[in-house]
Amino acid sequence: MEKRLLGKTAIVTGSARGIGREYALRMAKLGANVVITDIDLSAGKYKEKDAKAKTVREEVRALGVESLEFEGDGTDENFVRLVAEKTKSTFGSLDVLINNIGGTGGAGPGLATEMELDKFRKVIDINLTTTFLFSKHAGNIMKEQKNGKIINVASVAGFVPLFVVQPHYSAGKAAVISLTKTMALELAPYGITVNAIAPGYISTVKWDAHFDSQIEELTKKVPLGRIGTTEDCAKVIEFLATDLSDYLTGQTIFVDGGLKSLNPSSSKIENYTV
Ligand SMILES: NC(=O)c1ccc[n+]([C@@H]2O[C@H](COP(=O)([O-])OP(=O)(O)OC[C@H]3O[C@@H](n4cnc5c(N)ncnc54)[C@H](O)[C@@H]3O)[C@@H](O)[C@H]2O)c1
């Protein structure tokens, strides 16, 4: 793989497991030093099956680059500021930010008309506030450098409601797509690009466990006829993190096997749990 990010530094949020881990490994393969940050660095029962070490940091370092890891809550501004500042002071630059934290944080599904406010706010915070905070603090460093690439992780659910019981998650991801465009406009004069990736159904240890009995049904909804892989997403992240996408900003790329564009019917599955 061509080392298009040699000597650069990337922060990948929510990278202790799942798709975020794959982004961290991809950054390392491209030659970047990688900062791993997560609320739980252990990954626990959701550790990916092909993991080659106890932590993602060890896996990244085995690829010949340097790495820092920070355990903390991405909704805590003091924590986020510290991650951004330590990254800059350790490596001298902060070139790529991948805002991958997301999901429902165990808050679970529910209909909008029945949902407690706390539950709604929690999921908005995990998906939107973390993206805002990391973009704010990394963005200020990138403004001084006059370059950088911010990549937000949205979802097809931010464009079309995939599950009627995910109003909090869908709204959070829709807001991520909106923030991507506004910050792209703000940061364009500094040579900083801000884009988003919107995955469809992507297989991870956790996703497979949750959708176990519904995988066949969900696969039928995907025009390309298969559930996506973390690798499918990492290839697009590579494009957005490197000079391959230098003249692209404010865009959201759907990595979904055609789900959003070709088959936008929303799912009626209601027994979905997280
Ligand atoms: N898997 C899919 O099918 C799919 C589809 C569309 C979008 N996405 C998005 O891709 C991203 C990664 O998804 P995944 O399937 O790997 O999920 P995941 O739950 O395995 O990964 C999310 C990571 O974020 C961390 N995290 C959660 N809340 C945090 C917080 N407050 N502070 C710090 N870290 C926190 C978790 O510990 C976890 O490691 C998420 O943003 C998700 O919404 C996933």
Side-chain angles (χ1 to χ4, degrees), residues 13-20 23 37-40 46 72-75 99-103 105 126-127 130 153-156 169 173 198-204 206-207:
T13 76
S15 48
R17 67 178 193 222
I19 316 178
Y23 297 157
T37 172
D38 203 291
I39 201 163
D40 173 13
Y46 294 130
D73 189 339
T75 66
N99 279 312
N100 172 74
I101 293 171
I126 290 173
N127 292 282
T130 60
V153 177
S155 166
V156 169
Y169 179 74
K173 292 301 195 187
Y201 304 133
I202 307 298
S203 171
T204 64
K206 183 182 165 205
W207 191 93

Side-chain angles (χ1 to χ4, degrees), residues 83-104:
V83 173
E85 287 176 0
K86 282 264 179 200
T87 299
K88 171 77 178 177
S89 63
T90 304
F91 296 116
S93 69
L94 200 186
D95 307 285
V96 177
L97 167 68
I98 304 175
N99 279 312
N100 172 74
I101 293 171
T104 59

Side-chain angles (χ1 to χ4, degrees), residues 151-210:
I151 306 159
N152 296 329
V153 177
S155 166
V156 169
F159 188 84
V160 59
L162 292 177
F163 300 98
V164 68
V165 290
Q166 283 194 329
H168 42 7
Y169 179 74
S170 298
K173 292 301 195 187
V176 166
I177 293 173
S178 173
L179 186 66
T180 300
K181 291 187 260 191
T182 310
M183 288 196 70
L185 195 58
E186 177 186 342
L187 296 175
Y190 301 90
I192 300 162
T193 63
V194 187
N195 292 293
I197 176 174
Y201 304 133
I202 307 298
S203 171
T204 64
V205 166
K206 183 182 165 205
W207 191 93
D208 294 354
H210 284 304

